[in-house]
């Protein structure tokens, strides 16, 4: 009896591979001559005989329970029609094969023709994941777009859609008016954005990763698109692998009054246009708490105007950061809890003064809510003291510290670890990538990566030594 209960939990709560479920009916094996398609080894010529078997009775029980299905082993179209024929022998047409299915995850990896898996789903479906690795992208995208249309007819309540490998021009997002979460990995054109905003007004989270290179049309780029609105959007994350400016276009053309989290690229964005973009974002998204920007040589200090942020990540060329940028950020964002600055470990050198131990002390003095910090640090020729830090120059809530890279002389590791531990008494996780200068002064990663572990061990050893006197003092009181 306990085994039956365990199986019930598996089919109702866990993701099940379709072929695994179908083995209840009979053996499912790769078809001869094609390792990408699977099928039943034996089939009944008469549906009435098939549905009278113990295998069908078991499958009939399982298919009515399963809530999450993934498809990695693809059935031949003939076998899908065979299953649908068996289903029609026991219930009316157009019923979902899995009437309780809520999550369908299909990965079509190099398959010549997409299989019609929409027959599995019905009205309860709320999440659809579809990944396609095509040989002919336009032909395949159209075929899968038709499959999405069939799913939409059967499952009008889909709230989450995750598509990968498709061109947005072939996807009609308006088929899913209840959509709340969209993840699109593939080519996304700005022409698709107005339709998405108009026909999916309930969207709360959008994740886009665009990787196909398209030539930038200068006329289209300089033409302001019609204003759009996503009144419920809380999260927008975009990542552009090629030289495109999709994110900037979206931000200029969209009002997102409830946005709290924003991640985008400005690597191909003209720095002089940043002065107009930032006020637009700040004015249209006043609730923004988390901001992540990837760029090259930007005016990083301009992001200090987002004074209500709790989390800030600025990733770009380290030599483009100035002391004024960093002090402006920490001075104007009083409640910041997480701060990550920098990007390229190879661009900080002896003359880079924006990231120094003195800057860490200034952060400790001004950022009283800071709990996570990830910055590069230049501790080579900049004076710093190994004397105990005063309470005013100590981080109060910092629990995570990453110094990537930490430029330091080999002989200075121990005294700097002592200085750092007293500056950061509350840190529980410390990570670093060490860079030492060689005889010519060139910085290089030490060949022995264990040095980083030694540095981290020294840090926590000093931290524990400093804790003991405080414990004794507290006990004596």
């Amino acid at each position: 009896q306990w085994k039956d209960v365990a199986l019930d939990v598996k089919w109702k709560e866990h993701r099940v591979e379709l072929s695994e479920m179908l083995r209840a009916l009979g053996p499912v094996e790769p078809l001869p001559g094609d390792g990408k398609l699977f099928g039943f080894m034996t089939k009944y010529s008469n549906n009435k005989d098939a549905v009278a078997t113990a295998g069908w009775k078991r499958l009939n029980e399982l298919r009515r329970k399963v809530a999450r299905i993934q498809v990695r082993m693809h059935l031949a179209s003939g076998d899908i029609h065979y299953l649908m024929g068996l289903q029609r022998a026991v219930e009316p047409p157009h019923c979902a094969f899995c009437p309780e299915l809520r999550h369908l995850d299909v990965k079509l990896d190099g398959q010549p023709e997409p299989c019609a898996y929409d027959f599995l789903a019905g009205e309860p479906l709320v999440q659809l994941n579809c990944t396609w690795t095509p040989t002919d992208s336009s032909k395949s995208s159209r075929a899968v777009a038709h499959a999405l249309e069939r799913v939409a007819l059967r499952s009008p309540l889909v709230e989450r859609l995750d598509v990968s490998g498709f061109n947005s021009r072939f996807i009609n997002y308006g088929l899913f008016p209840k959509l709340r979460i969209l993840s699109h990995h593939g080519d996304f054109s700005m022409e698709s954005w107005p339709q998405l905003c108009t026909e999916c007004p309930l969207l709360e989270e959008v994740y886009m990763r665009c990787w196909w290179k398209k030539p930038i049309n200068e006329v289209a780029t300089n033409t302001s698109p019609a204003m759009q609105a996503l009144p419920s959007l809380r999260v927008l994350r975009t990542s552009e692998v090629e030289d495109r400016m999709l994110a900037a276009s979206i931000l200029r053309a969209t009002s997102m009054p409830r946005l709290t989290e924003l991640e985008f690229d400005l690597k191909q964005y003209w720095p002089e246009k940043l002065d107009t973009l930032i006020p637009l974002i700040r004015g249209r998204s006043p609730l923004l708490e988390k901001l992540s920007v990837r760029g090259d040589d930007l005016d990083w200090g301009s992001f200090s105007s987002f004074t209500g942020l709790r989390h800030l990540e600025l990733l770009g060329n380290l030599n483009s950061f100035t002391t004024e940028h960093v002090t402006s950020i920490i001075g104007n964002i009083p409640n910041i809890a997480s701060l990550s600055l920098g990007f390229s470990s190879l661009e900080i050198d002896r003359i880079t003064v924006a990231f120094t131990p003195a800057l860490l002390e200034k952060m400790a003095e001004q950022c009283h809510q800071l709990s996570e910090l990830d910055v590069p640090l230049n501790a080579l020729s900049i004076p710093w003291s190994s004397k105990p830090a005063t309470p005013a120059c100590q981080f109060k809530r910092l629990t995570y510290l990453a110094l990537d890279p930490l430029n330091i002389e080999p002989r200075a590791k121990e005294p700097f670890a002592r200085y750092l531990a007293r500056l950061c008494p509350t840190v529980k996780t410390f990570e670093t990538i060490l860079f030492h200068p060689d005889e010519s002064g060139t910085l290089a990663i030490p060949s022995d990566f264990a040095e980083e572990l030694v540095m981290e061990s020294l840090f926590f050893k000093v931290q524990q030594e400093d804790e003991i006197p405080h414990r004794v003092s507290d006990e004596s009181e």
Side-chain angles (χ1 to χ4, degrees):
Q1 184 180 0
W2 66 268
K3 188 177 294 186
D4 291 338
V5 172
L7 285 174
D8 282 345
V9 171
K10 174 181 179 179
W11 298 114
K12 291 179 180 179
E13 304 296 336
H14 297 278
R15 186 179 299 178
V16 177
E17 172 64 41
L18 176 63
S19 60
E20 180 183 351
M21 182 179 73
L22 296 183
R23 285 194 174 97
L25 179 61
V28 180
E29 301 294 342
L31 295 180
D34 192 337
K36 297 178 181 179
L37 293 177
F38 289 72
F40 293 104
M41 292 295 96
T42 58
K43 299 177 187 176
Y44 287 85
S45 58
N46 187 303
N47 287 343
K48 290 184 178 180
D49 293 338
V51 298
T53 63
W56 169 256
K57 291 179 180 179
R58 179 57 178 158
L59 177 59
N60 197 40
E61 178 187 356
L62 296 178
R63 72 181 180 91
R64 296 177 185 277
K65 294 179 179 179
V66 68
R68 305 179 67 192
I69 285 182
Q70 71 175 19
V71 182
R72 299 292 184 269
M73 302 169 63
H74 300 288
L75 279 178
S77 58
D79 293 84
I80 288 181
H81 292 309
Y82 176 62
L83 275 178
M84 295 172 68
L86 299 183
Q87 180 190 3
R88 284 194 293 269
V90 298
E91 61 189 19
H94 308 300
C95 291
F97 191 79
C98 301
E100 297 298 320
L101 189 64
R102 294 177 54 81
H103 182 172
L104 177 59
D105 185 353
V106 181
K107 184 176 183 180
L108 304 170
D109 189 4
Q111 195 172 336
E113 293 294 336
C115 292
Y117 292 106
D118 56 291
F119 80 99
L120 296 171
E123 187 169 332
L125 189 72
V126 293
Q127 180 170 345
L128 174 63
N129 297 0
C130 195
T131 302
W132 178 258
T133 308
T135 53
D136 183 339
S137 61
S138 61
K139 179 181 177 181
S140 302
S141 292
R142 288 188 180 92
V144 177
H146 293 319
L148 291 178
E149 291 175 4
R150 296 194 300 270
V151 171
L153 289 173
R154 287 175 164 270
S155 310
L157 302 180
V158 169
E159 296 181 353
R160 178 165 186 165
L161 184 61
D162 188 334
V163 293
S164 181
F166 304 111
N167 189 316
S168 65
R169 291 184 293 119
F170 300 110
I171 300 177
N172 181 6
Y173 291 114
L175 295 169
F176 303 97
K178 303 294 185 182
L179 201 62
R180 295 183 180 276
I181 302 175
L182 170 65
S183 178
H184 181 107
H185 290 195
D187 189 25
F188 193 96
S189 65
M190 189 58 195
E191 290 75 15
S192 301
W193 185 253
Q195 181 217 20
L196 185 65
C197 296
T198 302
E199 301 184 8
C200 301
L202 301 180
L203 273 172
E204 297 177 2
E205 300 177 24
V206 173
Y207 307 90
M208 292 192 296
R209 180 172 172 81
C210 309
W211 60 64
W212 286 322
K213 184 175 182 179
K214 294 286 183 182
I216 296 177
N217 185 320
E218 293 295 339
V219 176
T221 300
N222 294 327
T223 302
S224 299
M227 192 64 188
Q228 306 295 327
L230 283 174
S232 300
L233 195 68
R234 296 181 294 103
V235 179
L236 175 61
R237 295 181 188 172
T238 68
S239 176
E240 301 173 55
V241 177
E242 298 293 351
D243 51 346
R244 301 181 59 185
M245 294 182 290
L246 175 65
S249 299
I250 288 175
L251 292 170
R252 285 190 173 278
T254 315
S255 172
M256 298 170 280
R258 295 188 181 180
L259 195 69
T260 60
E261 181 177 341
L262 174 61
E263 177 182 334
F264 65 106
D265 286 300
L266 287 176
K267 288 188 177 182
Q268 299 296 324
Y269 199 65
W270 295 287
E272 59 270 19
K273 288 193 173 184
L274 195 62
D275 291 341
T276 59
L277 179 63
I278 285 181
L280 281 177
I281 299 173
R282 195 173 62 245
R284 293 172 182 169
S285 303
L287 303 181
L288 201 61
E289 294 183 351
K290 187 173 184 178
L291 178 63
S292 177
V293 182
R294 292 175 295 271
D296 289 320
D297 302 315
L298 299 176
D299 177 9
W300 301 107
S302 59
F303 293 99
S304 65
S305 61
F306 292 93
T307 56
L309 290 179
R310 295 282 293 163
H311 308 272
L312 177 61
E313 181 180 57
L314 301 177
L315 303 178
N317 294 334
L318 291 181
N319 284 342
S320 66
F321 286 86
T322 67
T323 302
E324 290 74 19
H325 290 161
V326 182
T327 53
S328 177
I329 289 169
I330 63 177
N332 287 285
I333 309 179
N335 294 320
I336 193 164
S338 174
L339 179 62
S340 179
L341 303 175
F343 184 67
S344 174
S345 298
L346 300 179
E347 295 184 16
I348 184 172
D349 53 32
R350 288 179 180 273
I351 62 173
T352 301
V353 296
F355 302 98
T356 66
L359 179 63
L360 281 185
E361 295 180 10
K362 186 176 289 290
M363 288 182 178
E365 291 176 3
Q366 298 187 10
C367 303
H368 298 158
Q369 304 297 319
L370 198 63
S371 61
E372 298 181 4
L373 179 62
D374 184 349
V375 292
L377 198 68
N378 182 4
L380 285 171
S381 55
I382 307 300
W384 48 269
S385 172
S386 60
K387 295 180 180 179
T390 63
C393 292
Q394 287 181 328
F395 286 98
K396 308 298 187 297
R397 299 187 179 184
L398 194 67
T399 58
Y400 173 81
L401 174 64
L403 302 178
D404 180 12
L406 169 58
N407 294 352
I408 192 169
E409 296 281 357
R411 63 180 181 275
K413 285 188 301 182
E414 184 171 351
F416 188 75
R418 189 171 300 278
Y419 160 80
L420 199 62
R422 289 170 178 168
L423 182 66
C424 311
T426 57
V427 164
K428 303 300 180 186
T429 303
F430 173 50
E431 299 174 353
T432 185
I433 302 294
L434 294 180
F435 274 63
H436 296 326
D438 59 19
E439 294 179 357
S440 65
T442 302
L443 291 168
I445 299 177
S447 57
D448 185 3
F449 290 101
E451 286 195 38
E452 292 157 3
L453 297 177
V454 170
M455 183 72 184
E456 294 165 12
S457 298
L458 286 170
F459 173 86
F460 288 113
K461 180 182 178 182
V462 174
Q463 197 181 66
Q464 291 173 357
E465 290 173 353
D466 288 347
E467 284 180 357
I468 293 175
H470 292 296
R471 291 175 185 171
V472 172
S473 175
D474 292 341
E475 290 174 0
S476 62
E477 292 177 2

